[in-house]
């Protein structure tokens, strides 16, 4: 390309730094012109190491820069919708980490701003870009398993988050299970129409004291007639447990955990193999680069983004229904 695509990154926490490094190191046709964070002084060395010249404590400097074509929003969740609207109004293409917001009216305001501006908008549900899950989706889409009857998603973290995070996260259904709500839509190609939640506090009493749960089974009904189950835990003693299965009229497709190696040692004492990769940075690192590539491709080729703003809305709707189901002890339709 003669002219590089110019990007600004808003938020330089863990995920913001991952995106910054991936863009600088893997996309020669993209320039990170600026990065903004409320703790700008603490990220200057990081920015300098990547050759990012402009470091701001005010993200509006990125929004107001006419040379910047796109923004990558990695700031705290409570800022996503407002920054999205401001960026859309400024004509910037937007990649926004999940969720857009927890408030439906604010998400709808983002949808309206995006449509009015005619810009590209992609939500960071990176698990869609995992090599295993993409293959399962391809098999389902190609009809290899026939009509979908059952979908199962297992998602268990190796350790619970800090209580300080639990108190502001929006709850497990909206900060953890939201990935799984997106995944079942992605794998089945169908919408969830009803949710029933059975949940408990079995990992850490402090999570319950903070008003949340840490263990859940969530039953789902889909528009195409399929049924599903998601099981979650905040702590799996053996590591990061991430598995999916789609069962249908012609067979099934399943993806097991990624492990450091596929070696199995068999002796007279035991048959052993590696534990799953530990946490999402190991398990899903490649997917973060792959989702960003798709975002840039959509901008450069003027094609739809693979995870639209509507795709950002639907898992929040399911998450709110899951919480309502748990609170009221009954199935909840998404229409409610």
């Amino acid at each position: 390309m003669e002219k590089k695509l110019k990007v600004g990154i808003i938020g330089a926490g863990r995920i913001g730094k991952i995106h910054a490094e991936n863009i600088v190191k893997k996309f020669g046709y993209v320039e990170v012109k600026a990065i903004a964070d409320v703790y700008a002084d603490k990220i200057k060395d990081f920015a300098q190491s990547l050759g990012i010249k402009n470091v701001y404590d005010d993200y509006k400097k990125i929004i107001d820069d006419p040379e910047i074509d796109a923004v990558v929003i990695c700031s705290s969740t409570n800022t996503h919708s407002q920054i999205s609207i401001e960026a859309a109004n400024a004509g910037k293409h937007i990649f926004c980490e999940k969720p857009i917001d927890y408030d439906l009216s604010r998400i709808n305001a983002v949808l309206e701003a995006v449509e009015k501006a005619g810009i590209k908008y992609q939500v960071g549900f990176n698990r869609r870009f995992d090599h295993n899950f993409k293959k399962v989706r391809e098999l389902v889409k190609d009809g290899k398993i026939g009509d979908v009857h059952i979908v199962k998603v297992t998602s268990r973290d190796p350790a619970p988050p800090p209580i300080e995070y639990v108190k502001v996260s929006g709850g497990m259904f909206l900060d953890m299970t939201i990935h799984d709500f997106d995944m079942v839509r992605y794998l089945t190609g169908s919408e969830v129409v009803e949710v029933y939640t059975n949940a408990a506090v079995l990992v850490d009493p402090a999570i319950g004291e903070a008003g949340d749960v840490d263990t859940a089974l969530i039953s789902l009904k889909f528009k195409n007639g399929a049924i599903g189950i998601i099981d979650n835990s905040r702590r799996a003693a053996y590591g990061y447990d991430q598995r999916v299965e789609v069962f249908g009229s012609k067979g099934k497709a399943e993806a097991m955990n990624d492990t450091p190696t596929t070696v199995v040692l068999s002796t007279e004492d035991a048959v052993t193999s590696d534990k799953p990769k530990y946490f999402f940075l190991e398990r899903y690192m490649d997917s973060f680069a792959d989702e960003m590539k798709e975002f840039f491709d959509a901008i450069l080729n003027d094609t739809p983004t693979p995870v639209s703003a509507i795709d950002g809305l639907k898992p929040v709707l399911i998450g709110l229904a899951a919480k309502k189901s748990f609170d009221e002890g009954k199935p909840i339709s998404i229409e409610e």
Side-chain angles (χ1 to χ4, degrees):
M1 290 181 61
E2 294 182 2
K3 179 179 178 294
K4 285 190 175 184
L5 190 68
K6 293 189 178 182
V7 171
I9 297 175
I10 299 174
R14 182 168 55 183
I15 194 65
K17 288 178 178 177
I18 287 172
H19 287 315
E21 290 184 5
N22 280 337
I23 294 170
V24 169
K25 296 177 180 179
K26 298 183 178 182
F27 301 101
Y29 55 90
V30 180
E31 175 190 344
V32 179
K33 185 181 179 185
I35 187 167
D37 193 274
V38 290
Y39 301 107
D41 289 341
K42 295 183 179 180
I43 64 166
K44 286 183 177 178
D45 289 344
F46 169 78
Q48 185 177 16
S49 72
L50 293 177
I52 302 172
K53 297 178 181 179
N54 301 297
V55 181
Y56 306 133
D57 59 7
D58 184 359
Y59 73 86
K60 292 181 185 292
K61 292 182 179 179
I62 288 177
I63 301 293
D64 294 338
D65 188 337
E67 287 191 349
I68 289 179
D69 304 296
V71 297
V72 179
I73 302 173
C74 308
S75 50
S76 58
T77 294
N78 64 332
T79 67
H80 288 181
S81 59
Q82 181 60 37
I83 295 175
S84 291
I85 292 170
E86 292 177 18
N89 290 342
K92 313 294 187 190
H93 301 294
I94 302 165
F95 179 98
C96 182
E97 277 301 328
K98 65 85 189 169
I100 299 173
D101 205 292
Y102 295 137
D103 183 278
L104 297 181
S105 64
R106 288 196 287 267
I107 296 177
N108 285 324
V110 171
L111 292 174
E112 291 175 7
V114 168
E115 183 176 3
K116 182 179 179 181
I119 50 92
K120 306 296 181 184
Y121 193 97
Q122 182 168 326
V123 182
F125 282 116
N126 65 292
R127 295 184 191 181
R128 290 187 179 216
F129 302 87
D130 172 74
H131 57 291
N132 294 319
F133 299 160
K134 281 182 69 175
K135 182 62 177 179
V136 173
R137 173 57 188 152
E138 288 171 8
L139 293 171
V140 173
K141 189 176 180 181
D142 292 343
K144 298 297 185 182
I145 69 161
D147 296 329
V148 176
H149 292 176
I150 299 171
V151 59
K152 296 180 179 180
V153 174
T154 293
S155 181
R156 303 167 184 162
D157 286 350
I163 294 302
E164 292 74 19
Y165 174 80
V166 172
K167 292 177 180 178
V168 299
S169 72
M172 189 171 78
F173 305 128
L174 290 172
D175 85 75
M176 177 181 176
T177 322
I178 193 168
H179 278 289
D180 307 314
F181 294 142
D182 178 68
M183 185 53 51
V184 295
R185 295 183 62 242
Y186 172 66
L187 292 176
T188 62
S190 185
E191 297 295 345
V192 175
V193 295
E194 186 180 278
V195 180
Y196 178 66
T197 303
N198 189 0
V201 179
L202 302 175
V203 172
D204 185 351
I207 292 176
E209 292 168 7
D212 200 8
V213 296
D214 55 35
T215 309
L217 285 176
I218 302 166
S219 178
L220 310 162
K221 290 183 180 179
F222 294 84
K223 188 174 182 180
N224 65 2
I227 56 177
I229 189 77
I230 296 170
D231 86 75
N232 289 141
S233 175
R234 285 291 198 184
R235 184 179 65 202
Y238 49 87
Y240 196 38
D241 194 356
Q242 300 283 294
R243 293 170 282 140
V244 305
E245 175 189 289
V246 184
F247 172 82
S249 57
K250 293 182 179 178
K252 71 172 181 177
E254 62 183 327
M256 306 305 287
N257 285 312
D258 267 2
T259 55
T261 75
T262 58
V263 175
V264 177
L265 173 64
S266 301
T267 69
E268 63 180 11
D269 298 318
V271 176
T272 58
S273 61
D274 288 342
K275 293 193 297 184
K277 290 181 178 178
Y278 193 82
F279 219 24
F280 77 97
L281 290 180
E282 293 182 41
R283 175 67 175 81
Y284 292 118
M285 185 56 75
D286 290 342
S287 70
F288 292 119
D290 290 344
E291 68 177 349
M292 201 58 66
K293 179 182 183 302
E294 295 278 353
F295 174 58
F296 296 145
D297 285 351
I299 295 172
L300 297 172
N301 301 321
D302 193 21
T303 54
T305 59
V307 192
S308 68
I310 291 292
D311 292 318
L313 169 65
K314 295 295 180 67
V316 175
L317 286 171
I318 304 169
L320 293 172
K323 187 178 187 308
K324 184 178 176 69
S325 173
F326 174 66
D327 290 341
E328 299 184 5
K330 64 180 183 179
I332 299 295
S333 70
I334 301 303
E335 289 184 355
E336 291 184 47

